[in-house]
Amino acid sequence: RTAMPTPIVRQPATRICVTNCGIGYYGDLSTRICMQCPLTCVTCVGATACVSCQSGLFLQLGACVV
């Protein structure tokens, strides 16, 4: 197992270390794994913190709402 320097995380499907998980995912630094954003988010910085929303939804205090 190769050590990964911070803030690099691992893509679960490919097991490749990356610095950016990509749209729809965020890097969970406690597990060092890319995790999926909530389905209402396009981009997020955590399991409950959206940065941008799916079409038709609006960002309010980190959540995507109607």
Side-chain angles (χ1 to χ4, degrees):
R1 183 175 184 181
T2 304
M4 295 183 297
T6 303
I8 296 177
V9 291
R10 188 180 310 273
Q11 287 280 8
T14 62
R15 300 181 58 100
I16 294 173
C17 295
V18 296
T19 55
N20 185 328
C21 293
I23 293 175
Y25 293 85
Y26 69 95
D28 183 328
L29 297 180
S30 64
T31 62
R32 307 282 296 273
I33 295 174
C34 292
M35 304 296 287
Q36 187 172 9
C37 293
L39 296 178
T40 55
C41 304
V42 172
T43 56
C44 67
V45 293
T48 59
C50 298
V51 175
S52 62
C53 302
Q54 298 289 344
S55 180
L57 300 176
F58 301 93
L59 188 62
Q60 184 176 22
L61 301 172
C64 294
V65 297
V66 177

